[in-house]
């Protein structure tokens, strides 16, 4: 027999009127039944060992004071102060009239709250006409009494990136298709010397999150039955450190931050919004008293994270498979040094810091001279993880644990001399390069300086270097495709001391012509654009008299098929992911959700009707920024003097107030280039100052612009195309038949430009760069006989050579590359040109 003394029950049984559970008769009845059940339980006989039915967490129970914002209420929200999530409503909605202090409001992603929100109401003030609601952060377990979430992101891809920020000296790699694949080179200056850290990192990952929870009516509190979060990850990283003189340092150096498109998981009617975020940075600390060089690399594949159960508490998730490599340190005095290349992978909940995993690839050196002029030295390569929960938004108290994935002592000396050795630092073993690439073979030597270093290619001596740095620039223009062995030998007093070798593969690259005449294209066809979203899937658009057509390929551009046609000529294509994109016609902007098989004009709901997003504008160019927006330039139909920059929310198709470009000229058509959040507007004239053209630059996706005027680009000089590589490097090309081609080069994000002129080249119509040095530009002029319509540069645009394989009498409109091994040139006629490697 069990009895209950009601004087010992929680206070909520003494004053039922005070609790939210009594807001409705349904919950009042529910609570009466609960009390009745407790009384029956307390007065009846019950075997202690009797089994209790398991809780079905998959059946959600939503707290009575939880309200999901509806469309009517969302439309009445005139402002959200996101510092403390104070909501201002222009007037009450049916839902907001029912809200009280202590209630929880929750919403999915929207244009006014890109990551949604989960908030508890602190105050409601409608004394001044508007309804002002002040809130504080709520917990998921407060809003949902019982539920289950099982979320996986799938492997995050480039199309999932919503916003990206790269630090100076960091470049996205062009030769892979993973999200995170880039080279970095950072220099730290201190009062005592400088430290250079360089390397490469590549990783792919998917996030996972699972949780089951319920509500304990004995303690009147939520409890977590099971919780787990983390990442499945495949990564490799290399770190090279060079210190030129003695210094002491402790630095954190940012590399890059990525924000991804939010994911929404529904628990009953309640949306739970997850936002993956990845930040990468370098932590360095230590003391170096002399010249120091060290290099290490590691590869890791596995699953890392944390898990929690109600019975066992917290535990680590650590499934791993790793390899390491290194180059022995080169130093002449003491060193105590650590470098960590860290990736912090967070899964934000409603945009709030929640579960996280920080993974650090570590390089650690400790070295000191002994009394015998020998070395005590260790060189470790490893990886550390710190995983847990940063902020209690879920209902689990914040937790973090740091543990070692692996440590590999790869080099160690105990009162021993530092051995003489040589290692090839670059290229790495197994690398691929295109024939024609100037490949610099770089080495690192330890111990006594060699008399000479001899370089071999396939066992044939090609160069002997007697001075540091010991390196050789290999011109691969005359080589054939295949695998090559690169070897270096170190000699002291004419004796071979050490050697190292790596294998690299040279790929034969070529341009070939693809004939599209079987699809109805002929010499008068104008192919206006080409774009790819993967190594195999791509589109081209073309127009003819009274005709606009989209062709699609699924085999990398070898064969093409018509997927869409319309009497309205088509101009440009931009794809937001593998199926969703936008197409610019001569009359409108169209959207597609099925890979351009079907399209519809861009429209949004103005609160009363569906209206055309660009119903009263003539759009000339379109693109994307990383703020979940379609961006465009054009002019209103009613006034040719004005040009505007437009931003359109990709979720709602609703435009923001367009930005009027502050220069008036009747006949101009402003052009635009955009990469990530870097935007350049150019080909801008002004009636009040016709001495030189103007241009405008934005680094925040077009929210703000800085206005500039060229100093050497008169209005008579046509600018036709532009390309932005990163936040620093950009190019604009153009020219005329009379003056030839011009190339404008910027190294500071478009603030200043260097002009190069080429009188012997017809004007350039488009440009695309693979990296800071290699790029291509198309010729926009037709010719009586076949001539090269594509030019190549290997020095950043300062000199150009014709690509004879791309020869035609027709003008070319665009050159486009996906990575370094797939490129296309399109223009007038039924022929397109394809670049590929073998």
């Amino acid at each position: 027999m069990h009895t209950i003394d009601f004087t010992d029950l929680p206070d909520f049984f003494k004053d039922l009127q005070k609790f939210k559970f009594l807001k409705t008769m349904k919950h009042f009845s529910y609570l009466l039944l609960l009390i009745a059940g407790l009384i029956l339980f307390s007065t009846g006989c019950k075997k202690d060992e009797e089994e209790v039915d398991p809780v079905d967490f998959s059946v959600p129970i939503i707290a009575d004071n939880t309200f999901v914002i509806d469309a009517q209420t969302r439309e009445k929200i005139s402002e959200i102060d996101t510092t403390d999530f104070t909501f201002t409503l222009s007037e009450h909605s049916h839902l907001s009239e029912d809200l009280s202090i202590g209630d929880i409001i929750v919403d999915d992603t929207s244009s006014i709250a890109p990551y949604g929100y989960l908030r508890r109401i602190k105050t409601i003030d409608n004394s001044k006409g508007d309804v002002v609601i002040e809130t504080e952060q709520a917990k998921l377990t407060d809003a949902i009494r019982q539920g289950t979430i099982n979320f996986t992101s799938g492997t995050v891809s480039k199309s999932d990136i919503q916003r990206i920020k790269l630090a100076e000296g960091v470049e996205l790699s062009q030769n892979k298709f993973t999200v995170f694949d880039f080279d970095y080179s950072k220099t730290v200056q201190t009062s005592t010397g400088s430290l250079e850290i360089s390397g490469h990192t590549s990783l792919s990952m998917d996030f996972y999150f699972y949780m089951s929870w319920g509500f304990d009516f004995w303690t009147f509190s939520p409890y977590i039955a099971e919780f787990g979060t983390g990442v499945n990850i495949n990564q490799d990283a290399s770190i090279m450190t060079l210190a030129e003189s003695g210094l002491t340092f402790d630095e954190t150096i940012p590399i890059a931050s990525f924000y991804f498109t939010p994911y929404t998981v529904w628990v009953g009617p309640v949306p739970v919004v997850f936002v993956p975020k990845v930040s990468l940075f370098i932590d360095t600390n230590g003391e170096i008293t002399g010249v120091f060089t060290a290099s290490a690399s590691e590869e890791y594949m596995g699953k890392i994270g944390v898990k929690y159960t109600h019975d066992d508490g917290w535990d680590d998730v650590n499934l791993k498979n790793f390899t390491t490599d290194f180059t022995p340190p080169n130093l002449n005095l003491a060193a105590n040094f650590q470098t960590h290349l860290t990736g912090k992978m967070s899964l934000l909940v409603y945009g709030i810091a929640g579960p996280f995993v920080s993974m650090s690839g570590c390089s650690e050196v400790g070295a000191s001279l002994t009394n015998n002029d020998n070395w005590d030295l260790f060189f470790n390569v490893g990886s550390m993880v710190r995983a847990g929960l940063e902020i209690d938004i879920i209902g689990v108290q914040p937790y973090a644990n740091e543990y070692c994935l692996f440590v590999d002592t790869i080099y160690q000396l105990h009162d021993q001399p530092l051995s003489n050795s040589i290692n090839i630092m670059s290229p790495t073993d197994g690398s691929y390069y295109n024939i024609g690439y100037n490949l610099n073979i770089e080495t690192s030597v330890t111990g006594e300086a060699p008399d000479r270093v001899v370089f071999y290619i396939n066992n044939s001596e090609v160069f002997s270097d007697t001075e540091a740095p010991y390196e050789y620039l290999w011109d691969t223009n005359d080589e054939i495709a295949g695998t090559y062995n690169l070897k270096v030998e170190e000699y002291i007093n004419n004796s071979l001391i050490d050697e190292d070798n790596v294998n690299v593969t040279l790929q034969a690259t070529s341009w070939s012509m693809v004939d599209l005449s079987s699809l109805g294209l002929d010499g008068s066809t104008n192919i206006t654009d080409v774009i790819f979203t993967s190594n195999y899937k791509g589109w081209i658009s073309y127009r003819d008299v009274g005709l606009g057509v989209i062709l699609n390929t699924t085999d990398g551009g070898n064969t093409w098929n018509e997927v869409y046609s319309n009497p309205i000529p088509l101009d440009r294509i931009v794809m937001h992911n593998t199926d969703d994109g936008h197409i610019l016609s001569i009359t409108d902007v169209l959207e597609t959700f099925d890979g351009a098989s079907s399209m519809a004009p861009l429209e949004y709901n103005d609160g009363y009707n569906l209206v055309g997003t660009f119903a009263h504008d003539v759009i000339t160019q379109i693109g994307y920024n990383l703020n979940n927006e379609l961006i465009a330039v054009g002019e209103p139909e009613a006034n040719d003097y004005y040009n505007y920059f437009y931003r359109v929310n990709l979720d709602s198709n609703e435009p923001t107030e367009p930005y009027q470009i502050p220069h008036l000229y009747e006949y101009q058509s402003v052009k635009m280039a955009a990469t990530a959040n870097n935007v350049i507007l150019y080909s801008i004239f002004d009636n009040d100052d016709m001495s030189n053209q103007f241009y405008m630059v934005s680094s925040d996706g077009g929210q703000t612009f800085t206005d500039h005027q060229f100093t050497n680009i008169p209005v008579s000089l046509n600018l036709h195309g532009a390309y932005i590589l990163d936040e620093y490097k950009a190019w604009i090309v153009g020219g005329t038949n009379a003056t030839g081609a011009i190339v404008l080069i910027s190294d500071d994000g478009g603030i200043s430009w260097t002009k190069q002129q080429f009188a012997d080249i017809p004007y350039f119509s488009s440009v695309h760069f693979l990296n800071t040095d290699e790029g291509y530009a198309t010729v926009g002029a037709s010719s009586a006989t076949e001539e090269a319509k594509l030019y190549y540069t290997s020095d950043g645009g300062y000199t150009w050579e014709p690509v004879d394989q791309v020869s035609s009498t027709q003008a070319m409109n665009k050159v486009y590359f996906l990575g370094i091994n797939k490129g296309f040139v399109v223009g007038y006629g039924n022929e397109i040109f394809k670049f590929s490697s073998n």
Side-chain angles (χ1 to χ4, degrees), residues 738-793:
T739 60
I742 68 159
V743 178
L744 306 179
I745 305 168
S746 177
D747 296 316
D748 55 11
I751 304 303
S752 61
W753 300 85
T754 300
K755 177 183 175 182
Q756 300 295 119
Q757 194 147 358
F758 307 93
D760 57 338
I761 302 177
Y763 71 86
F764 285 148
S765 54
S766 74
V767 62
H768 188 111
F769 270 77
L770 308 179
N771 48 54
T772 56
D773 297 319
E774 296 181 280
Y776 291 88
T778 55
V779 171
S782 58
S783 54
T785 59
E786 285 201 354
E787 296 176 357
K789 296 302 166 65
L790 182 70
Y791 280 73
Y792 168 79
T793 179

Side-chain angles (χ1 to χ4, degrees), residues 16-89:
L16 298 178
Q17 296 295 331
K18 294 182 180 179
F19 286 88
K20 279 291 181 183
F21 275 90
L22 302 187
K23 287 186 67 173
T24 65
M25 287 300 296
K26 178 181 72 173
H27 286 286
F28 181 69
S29 301
Y30 177 78
L31 191 55
L32 290 179
L33 288 173
L34 174 64
I35 296 172
L38 292 173
I39 294 172
L40 289 173
F41 176 78
S42 67
T43 58
C45 293
K46 200 170 181 65
K47 293 182 179 181
D48 291 338
E49 65 272 13
E50 183 177 339
E51 293 184 1
V52 179
D53 291 336
V55 177
D56 185 0
F57 295 105
S58 65
V59 178
I61 299 176
I62 311 303
D64 181 57
N65 63 332
T66 297
F67 294 86
V68 180
I69 299 298
D70 58 16
Q72 183 195 43
T73 304
R74 194 181 299 118
E75 290 174 1
K76 296 184 184 299
I77 298 175
S78 58
E79 182 183 358
I80 299 178
D81 183 350
T82 55
T83 58
D84 60 359
F85 271 83
T86 297
F87 297 77
T88 302
L89 283 68

